[in-house]
Amino acid sequence: MRAPLSTLFRLAWRESRTARRRLLLYMSSISLGVAALVAIDSFAANVQRSIKEQSRTLMGGDLNLRARQGFSAAADSLLDSLATAGFPSAKVTSFASMASAQPSGNTRLTQVRAVTPGFPFYGEVLTEPAGRWAQLHRGRYVLVDPSVLIGLDAQVGDSLQIGYARFEILAAITNIPGDPGIASTIGPRVFIPAQYLAETGLIAAGARAEYEAVLKLPEGTRTPIWVAPLRPRIEKENIRIRTVEEREIDLTDAIQQLARFLSVVGLIALLLGGIGVASGVNAFVQRKIDTVAVLRCLGASSAQVLTIYLVQAAAMGFLGAAAGAVLGIGIQFGLPKMLGDFLPVDVQVSLVPSAILLGLGIGVWVAVVFALRPLLVLRRVSPLQAIRRDDAALAESRRKDSATQITNLALVASVIGLAINRAETVSQGLLFAVGVFVSIGTLWLAAAGLARLTRRIVSPTWPYVLRQGIANLHRPAAQTQSVVLALGFGSFLVTTIVLVQTNLLAQFEFTAAQSRGNLVFFDVQDDQRSGLAALVSESGHEVVSETPIVTMRFAGGNGLTTEEWAERVGMPARNWALRREYRSTYRDSIVPTETLLSGEWFGERQLPAGVYEVSLERDITDELKATLGDTLQWDVQGVTIRTVVTSTREVDWGRFEPNFFAVFQTESLRGAPAQFVTIAAVSSDTAVARLQREAVRRYPNVSSIDLSLVRGTINQIVSKVTLTVRFLALFSLAMGIPVLFSAVAATRRDRLREGVLLKTLGATRAQIGRILLAEYAVLGLLGSLSGMLLAVGGAWGLVTFVFQSTFSFAALPALGIAAAMMALAVSIGLLTGRDVFRETPMAVLREG
Amino acid sequence: MLVARTLTKEYRSGTAPLAVLRDVSFDIPEGAFVAIVGPSGSGKTTLLGLLAGLDQPTRGAVLLDGEDLTRLDEDARARLRGEKVGFIFQSFQLIPTLTAQENVQVPLELQGRGDAGEKARDLLTRVGLGDRLDHFPSQLSGGEQQRVAIARAFANEPRILFADEPTGNLDGTTGAKIVALLDQLNQESGATVVIVTHDLGLAEHAQRVIRLRDGVVIEDRPGRGGAGTHPGADDASGPAAGASA
Ligand SMILES: Nc1ncnc2c1ncn2[C@@H]1O[C@H](COP(=O)(O)OP(=O)(O)OP(=O)(O)O)[C@@H](O)[C@H]1O
Ligand SMILES: [Mg+2]
């Protein structure tokens, strides 16, 4: 007669008495992984729900119309007739301009939004003093971001000059739906009534502006259906239509992508935890073999034995996962604070039961699958083991065990399944799983190699303690594999994150440092150019460069029209490269931010009259499917210019210097209407402010940017990003600790016993310490170094292929992490050594 | 050589302290061969552990060559053991991950001796295990493991050797061999030997027998081995003890 399950459960509970806490410690390896998954999934769900709830608010209406070239008369009349029919609309025109405050006299670049009454139809604009948004259209008023007040040293009631118009500051805007918080840092906004837009004199032909309109539809209207019949008419006017649903999808997609990236980190955390669980449970099993042998002597079947311990493991796994879920919920409440500035919505945090359950489920599953492999050994423990322990026979039986092989398969399948579940596409998931297996395989090989190497190189001439410590690495039941794996994987993870971070951030620094000049004027008109240059030099500063900019459109090539060209090279006629406005320059030399990729620079070739040379940037060359020698036509504000592509360039876009897709030979654009970007080197901050003020006074349409301000802005963004990344890295590092403890647990007790025995044989504290130090230092060194090498590979791949940038190895942080990991391993070793000396030999030896 | 002074060992189980040894005192002179006997649970192993400095008494003192073990720290006691003490455990206590030879080498290596390998092979050959040098403990029988443990205890040529039931797991002939080995150590190098045993034959082999019951010495008399040539219990302050102090 077999015992009922409930009896087994009771036995399992009683038998776990001494080991419960230890088992729980091993299972805590998965906690942080579960926490990450729960936090990320909940957060993504919350953001998505918030987007859904606020989507109309985000857009300010039910329908968004965007006209690149401004609304045509036909479009305007369409909007008018819709309004009469009960579908009101409001317009927003956005452009950049200098704003100068009185009485302070300070100036700065702002994002001007000219809005018509009614905007936004949904959501509330909060102001300080409160309620002022509604008064905007009552006069020449302006509402500004708080940073404008600070930057200009102005206050409510002061006046603000924008272009040729002057406005009174009515209030500061504390919250406006639809823009992420960081927007006000990048380009502080000022809102003016659209009726005074013309007065500013800034919306001339060729000026860069965005024209949008939002429509409000009656409650309950099915927008896509309503808009369908109007679509052709609207799109004919070069207007792009976005419904709330489409906008929602855009935003959700972006959030999904972020969540996916983060949850891959969480997944790795979980897998690392799984490795911790496996090695911890392995240690647990080693201790239980004697008990199991006795249970078997007393008549327990191998299935009963397995059940008893599986129940223990699953129970503790559940507790570990539950602790993780609780932590994850906590983190989830903090995430909006950390990421909120980058999000367009105000995230309402609430518990997401599906995310919590999923995290718990995945956590328990990983815990059980990873625990099962070592637990299966217990099935093979024969009662004979009670008489004499035979580890070799056990290991042998494991290799042939079909259940073990099935578990191995389940493990691999779990990793692949989880990866696919978390990745965007199946192939990405598979790629990720392969990456994980390759990393684990590499670490495993490194560990095995180390064990072999130590067997070879240990020489009898070495001091005994060193020999003994190193020899521990290849002795039976050595911990080499599990520690190297845990350490290596941990440092791999942390180092990858840090390397990617430093690489991405380094780019920003490089950029800011490299730029010549510190004050950039743009939108300088042809007739203002020399006046501005004179103003700069009269004030005692230097004009670093004046770059002409000519706007134009692509007009086909090799005698074909744009449409024919598109058809010939096989690209859609709507392609952005064909339709966009090109802001090109002309000059006769190549500049330091450019590298010639193919062909020759201007002037090497004899061309027929009326045909000139052009140099194209690499990406746009590919996009247009143009090749060297093609003759391209350009529509330069009504005049067609023909050019031969004589070279292609690589451009470093990361700098604050004007860069161009197409650079023309000077002759070709002589006489074409141009604007200029003037860069000046100005010594002091006060001189910058003074020069900006004077320039705006003389040329209200000319905008200027103080690069040191830009640098400050970038630093601000970078430090926010850095904070997030640091958190991730710290998180991963914290994750490594329980895993490492589990990894050494298997042999910690053996080392303790051995240490005590050595002590009875006369070994001193220093000797035992040195033995353990040698062992753990080598383990730590190998683990952290192989992890670092893997990380360099991983980070290189990410930086090169995902972020499309050049990788440079940040040796210092990488070595720092390796050192930290080594220190961690060594301290665990030394902790064991301390325990050896805490106990009297008798107590330990009596344990048998 | 070895003096036990009112040794008391108590264990705390629950609230009431449980005295396992009570006021045990005796004096063992240099070169003596002493057997400690008594029923199971009478405190023999506990006493041996205290004498060898493996454990700390609740009260009392152990003087080895005049040095009070109870006042030394773990490290100093370990050093002392390495220099002059050998110990054979009731349950062998070999290091499972080391081979027979490596196990025997350990005390020599700890002393930094260069001839550790040679010496260990020699010792294992003497206990009849010359052909099992590279076997791990799990590959040896109980008696063979015991002999490895004895070889290890002999390795540092201890001045005093403690053995807890050295023949308990062995058949008659093997047991006799081990007794002969202990005897040899005692006779040839003049090392002091203290053994715990149930084996009456072995006990009678000793020059002196100390009998414990419930943690108290109830008998301390000369044995048959070399009776009359070695001092008994009554002359604890005899010339041999005085000479070694
Ligand atoms: N750590 C401990 N806590 C409580 N009691 C203990 C402890 N260690 C030993 N004892 C008790 O001390 C008593 C003496 O134990 P000891 O091992 O010295 O006996 P022994 O004479 O060697 O017995 P045996 O002949 O069976 O080996 C026993 O009753 C034992 O239960
Ligand atoms: Mg005993």
Side-chain angles (χ1 to χ4, degrees):
Chain A
M1 201 187 76
R2 302 269 73 159
L5 220 53
S6 62
T7 317
L8 281 183
F9 278 26
R10 222 172 319 122
L11 183 58
W13 176 244
R14 239 182 283 140
E15 204 283 326
S16 71
R17 185 178 293 135
T18 53
R20 242 171 260 158
R21 273 220 303 237
R22 206 170 329 116
L23 201 53
L24 189 57
L25 175 74
Y26 303 150
M27 290 301 180
S28 72
S29 301
I30 58 162
S31 297
L32 282 178
V34 171
L37 290 188
V38 168
I40 293 157
D41 285 357
S42 305
F43 177 68
N46 277 324
V47 174
Q48 282 178 22
R49 190 178 33 81
S50 301
I51 288 176
K52 218 171 180 59
E53 280 169 9
Q54 300 168 33
S55 57
R56 288 196 307 187
T57 314
L58 286 176
M59 209 157 86
D62 296 285
L63 205 58
N64 172 288
L65 306 180
R66 176 174 295 218
R68 273 182 191 278
Q69 306 302 311
F71 289 93
S72 60
D76 276 338
S77 74
L78 177 62
L79 287 178
D80 283 346
S81 57
L82 284 173
T84 349
F87 309 108
S89 56
K91 279 192 191 162
V92 183
T93 309
S94 319
F95 55 93
S97 166
M98 294 308 281
S100 66
Q102 290 301 332
S104 78
N106 292 329
T107 58
R108 76 166 298 174
L109 187 65
T110 57
Q111 280 295 323
V112 181
R113 307 249 165 112
V115 298
T116 59
F119 179 86
F121 290 116
Y122 302 104
E124 203 185 343
V125 181
L126 300 180
T127 57
E128 173 63 46
R132 293 282 170 91
W133 178 260
Q135 299 169 21
L136 177 63
H137 297 278
R138 294 205 189 137
R140 283 191 176 73
Y141 291 131
V142 62
L143 287 162
V144 302
D145 266 331
S147 60
V148 173
L149 293 185
I150 298 165
L152 294 180
D153 189 21
Q155 38 195 305
V156 171
D158 286 359
S159 73
L160 197 67
Q161 175 102 24
I162 298 168
Y164 295 93
R166 186 179 281 257
F167 301 88
E168 182 189 335
I169 300 176
L170 189 60
I173 294 171
T174 50
N175 186 36
I176 184 155
D179 278 337
I182 200 97
S184 81
T185 313
I186 296 171
R189 296 156 297 187
V190 305
F191 288 84
I192 58 169
Q195 64 192 107
Y196 303 112
L197 181 56
E199 272 185 29
T200 65
L202 296 173
I203 300 298
R208 276 167 302 171
E210 271 184 38
Y211 305 88
E212 281 177 274
V214 287
L215 256 87
K216 180 174 157 58
L217 304 182
E219 195 64 41
T221 309
R222 303 270 303 276
T223 317
I225 295 173
W226 181 89
V227 80
L230 289 171
R231 234 176 231 282
R233 268 178 79 194
I234 299 176
E235 283 177 350
K236 202 181 92 211
E237 301 301 325
N238 260 329
I239 292 172
R240 202 168 79 126
I241 308 169
R242 306 291 287 164
T243 62
V244 166
E245 291 78 8
E246 286 165 325
R247 177 77 197 277
E248 226 172 72
I249 290 169
D250 287 350
L251 284 175
T252 330
D253 276 358
I255 296 297
Q256 275 292 347
Q257 212 139 22
L258 176 71
R260 259 191 218 110
F261 171 73
L262 289 176
S263 78
V264 163
V265 175
L267 185 58
I268 294 176
L270 202 61
L271 293 180
L272 183 60
I275 292 171
V277 166
S279 41
V281 170
N282 189 37
F284 174 75
V285 163
Q286 295 305 321
R287 283 182 171 209
K288 288 297 177 189
I289 284 176
D290 296 332
T291 313
V292 170
V294 173
L295 283 174
R296 298 278 279 135
C297 284
L298 299 179
S301 73
S302 63
Q304 284 178 322
V305 165
L306 186 65
T307 311
I308 290 175
Y309 290 102
L310 203 55
V311 165
Q312 292 184 2
M316 293 303 142
F318 178 77
L319 285 185
V326 170
L327 183 65
I329 293 169
I331 294 175
Q332 180 218 338
F333 279 91
L335 276 179
K337 282 198 192 65
M338 209 155 66
L339 300 172
D341 273 351
F342 298 99
L343 298 172
V345 280
D346 301 324
V347 182
Q348 254 74 55
V349 181
S350 65
L351 293 185
V352 183
S354 63
I356 297 171
L357 287 179
L358 185 67
L360 263 182
I362 292 180
V364 173
W365 172 252
V366 167
V368 168
V369 170
F370 278 83
L372 191 58
R373 211 184 101 92
L375 280 179
L376 282 176
V377 170
L378 292 176
R379 278 164 61 253
R380 314 294 287 200
V381 173
S382 81
L384 262 180
Q385 292 273 339
I387 298 170
R388 181 143 39 140
R389 180 85 172 259
D390 189 351
D391 293 327
L394 263 184
E396 186 54 33
S397 76
R398 173 185 222 163
R399 215 159 294 140
K400 297 190 192 121
D401 188 12
S402 62
T404 304
Q405 272 150 17
I406 293 173
T407 311
N408 287 346
L409 277 181
L411 264 174
V412 172
S414 305
V415 172
I416 296 177
L418 286 172
I420 290 177
N421 169 258
R422 291 284 142 178
E424 194 169 352
T425 63
V426 172
S427 58
Q428 275 182 11
L430 285 175
L431 207 66
F432 172 78
V434 168
V436 168
F437 292 131
V438 166
S439 322
I440 291 181
T442 311
L443 289 168
W444 194 268
L445 284 179
L450 178 75
R452 292 187 79 157
L453 187 72
T454 53
R455 203 192 305 258
R456 291 259 181 90
I457 62 162
V458 171
S459 139
T461 56
W462 292 8
Y464 169 69
V465 288
L466 195 59
R467 253 183 304 143
Q468 173 74 24
I470 303 279
N472 278 343
L473 296 173
H474 63 74
R475 294 239 154 83
Q479 59 194 345
T480 315
Q481 256 92 352
S482 54
V483 174
V484 168
L485 207 58
L487 261 181
F489 214 70
S491 63
F492 167 50
L493 193 60
V494 183
T495 316
T496 306
I497 292 174
V498 170
L499 279 182
V500 169
Q501 175 212 345
T502 44
N503 264 283
L504 295 186
L505 296 190
Q507 268 186 326
F508 281 106
E509 280 160 26
F510 177 70
T511 306
Q514 289 286 316
S515 306
R516 294 171 308 147
N518 58 340
L519 187 57
V520 180
F521 296 94
F522 48 96
D523 294 342
V524 181
Q525 303 301 311
D526 226 341
D527 56 353
Q528 298 171 327
R529 170 188 168 195
S530 51
L532 181 66
L535 172 65
V536 172
S537 25
E538 277 160 25
S539 325
H541 309 294
E542 185 199 346
V543 173
V544 175
S545 66
E546 292 177 302
T547 310
I549 292 175
V550 179
T551 57
M552 55 181 70
R553 277 170 202 285
F554 179 71
N558 296 343
L560 306 172
T561 63
T562 307
E563 285 72 23
E564 288 165 346
W565 174 274
E567 207 179 298
R568 162 76 64 85
V569 301
M571 60 199 281
R574 298 191 57 85
N575 188 294
W576 154 90
L578 298 176
R579 305 183 72 90
R580 62 163 296 165
E581 183 182 73
Y582 285 83
R583 302 170 64 79
S584 307
T585 194
Y586 52 84
R587 58 175 134 85
D588 290 327
S589 59
I590 192 160
V591 296
T593 53
E594 301 171 320
T595 326
L596 203 62
L597 285 182
S598 67
E600 292 145 348
W601 196 248
F602 306 148
E604 304 285 329
R605 239 206 254 201
Q606 208 58 45
L607 291 172
V611 179
Y612 304 94
E613 295 185 53
V614 72
S615 173
L616 293 185
E617 188 266 346
R618 183 178 61 180
D619 288 343
I620 207 72
T621 315
D622 295 346
E623 196 76 36
L624 286 172
K625 300 217 162 62
T627 48
L628 285 184
D630 279 344
T631 305
L632 303 183
Q633 292 110 245
W634 305 89
D635 173 1
V636 183
Q637 292 157 58
V639 180
T640 303
I641 305 260
R642 289 172 62 211
T643 56
V644 175
V645 181
T646 53
S647 65
T648 61
R649 289 160 303 128
E650 164 115 54
V651 174
D652 179 0
W653 293 99
R655 309 213 194 166
F656 292 115
E657 269 162 39
N659 282 310
F660 302 93
F661 282 129
V663 175
F664 288 72
Q665 223 174 347
T666 305
E667 287 160 72
S668 60
L669 294 178
R670 180 165 296 154
Q675 290 184 347
F676 290 81
V677 171
T678 302
I679 301 181
V682 184
S683 48
S684 74
D685 284 356
T686 49
V688 167
R690 212 178 314 126
L691 191 55
Q692 274 184 304
R693 214 174 312 159
E694 190 51 31
V696 159
R697 202 184 56 76
R698 288 197 205 172
Y699 313 109
N701 66 299
V702 172
S703 297
S704 58
I705 305 181
D706 179 355
L707 283 190
S708 60
L709 273 185
V710 174
R711 259 168 234 162
T713 307
I714 286 182
N715 285 343
Q716 240 175 312
I717 299 169
V718 164
S719 67
K720 270 183 198 288
V721 175
T722 311
L723 194 73
T724 316
V725 174
R726 290 254 161 83
F727 175 75
L728 276 180
L730 209 69
F731 187 84
S732 331
L733 200 62
M735 203 159 60
I737 294 173
V739 176
L740 205 56
F741 263 105
S742 301
V744 296
T747 45
R748 205 182 114 82
R749 213 172 82 108
D750 291 345
R751 293 286 174 274
L752 189 68
R753 270 189 74 82
E754 252 172 60
V756 169
L757 253 173
L758 288 175
K759 208 167 72 165
T760 66
L761 299 176
T764 62
R765 181 191 292 258
Q767 281 176 316
I768 292 174
R770 265 181 258 140
I771 289 174
L772 291 168
L773 189 68
E775 179 180 355
Y776 284 88
V778 172
L779 278 177
L781 191 69
L782 183 80
S784 50
L785 281 188
S786 38
M788 189 176 88
L789 286 183
L790 276 176
V792 172
W796 172 82
L798 280 176
V799 170
T800 312
F801 298 116
V802 179
F803 298 105
Q804 311 237 319
S805 148
T806 42
F807 176 74
S808 72
F809 175 50
L812 216 60
L815 290 175
I817 293 166
M821 283 290 180
M822 250 197 84
L824 201 62
V826 166
S827 10
I828 289 182
L830 292 183
L831 229 63
T832 309
R834 199 195 55 173
D835 287 354
V836 167
F837 273 84
R838 263 222 306 244
E839 306 203 40
T840 60
M842 219 54 195
V844 177
L845 298 178
R846 251 193 213 278
E847 274 181 33
Chain B
M1 165 96 220
L2 183 69
V3 179
R5 224 179 254 159
T6 61
L7 277 179
T8 298
K9 179 74 183 174
E10 290 170 355
Y11 285 111
R12 195 156 289 282
S13 70
T15 49
L18 168 80
V20 176
L21 287 178
R22 258 173 295 167
D23 288 330
V24 173
S25 298
F26 51 75
D27 191 337
I28 297 173
E30 177 105 50
F33 194 120
V34 180
I36 299 175
V37 297
S40 180
S42 56
K44 305 183 294 292
T45 299
T46 308
L47 176 60
L48 210 61
L50 290 178
L51 294 178
L54 298 181
D55 208 353
Q56 287 285 57
T58 313
R59 279 186 299 279
V62 177
L63 275 68
L64 182 63
D65 281 343
E67 200 161 3
D68 188 351
L69 292 185
T70 57
R71 297 215 178 157
L72 300 177
D73 65 5
E74 275 289 320
D75 224 15
R77 274 186 282 155
R79 220 184 297 267
L80 199 70
R81 275 196 299 272
E83 282 165 19
K84 29 179 120 162
V85 179
F87 204 99
I88 301 168
F89 298 92
Q90 197 167 0
S91 47
F92 322 140
Q93 303 288 7
L94 298 177
I95 298 178
T97 55
L98 301 185
T99 63
Q101 184 186 330
E102 287 168 338
N103 261 290
V104 176
Q105 266 171 244
V106 168
L108 298 165
E109 308 253 32
L110 288 171
Q111 306 287 323
R113 296 207 8 194
D115 58 347
E118 210 177 308
K119 182 102 204 254
R121 275 194 296 279
D122 184 42
L123 281 164
L124 281 169
T125 313
R126 269 171 63 194
V127 297
L129 291 175
D131 52 346
R132 315 296 294 271
L133 298 177
D134 293 329
H135 283 61
F136 286 99
S138 62
Q139 298 166 323
L140 298 171
S141 78
E144 286 162 345
Q145 291 186 47
Q146 182 69 302
R147 278 185 276 161
V148 176
I150 289 171
R152 186 177 65 183
F154 282 13
N156 60 343
E157 291 159 5
R159 301 262 321 288
I160 183 160
L161 181 83
F162 297 96
D164 194 354
E165 305 273 11
T167 60
N169 295 291
L170 307 177
D171 63 84
T173 5
T174 323
K177 260 195 216 158
I178 282 169
V179 173
L181 281 168
L182 293 175
D183 241 358
Q184 198 183 346
L185 183 77
N186 177 242
Q187 300 291 334
E188 286 176 8
S189 55
T192 312
V193 175
V194 181
I195 60 169
V196 163
T197 186
H198 279 128
D199 184 342
L200 286 179
L202 180 53
E204 287 313 318
H205 198 84
Q207 300 150 1
R208 179 174 165 194
V209 179
I210 296 174
R211 188 176 297 275
L212 287 181
R213 180 179 292 152
D214 294 335
V216 180
V217 178
I218 55 162
E219 187 185 17
D220 190 344
R221 64 171 170 83
R224 251 178 255 141
T229 54
H230 290 274
D234 298 334
D235 33 30
S237 54
S244 70

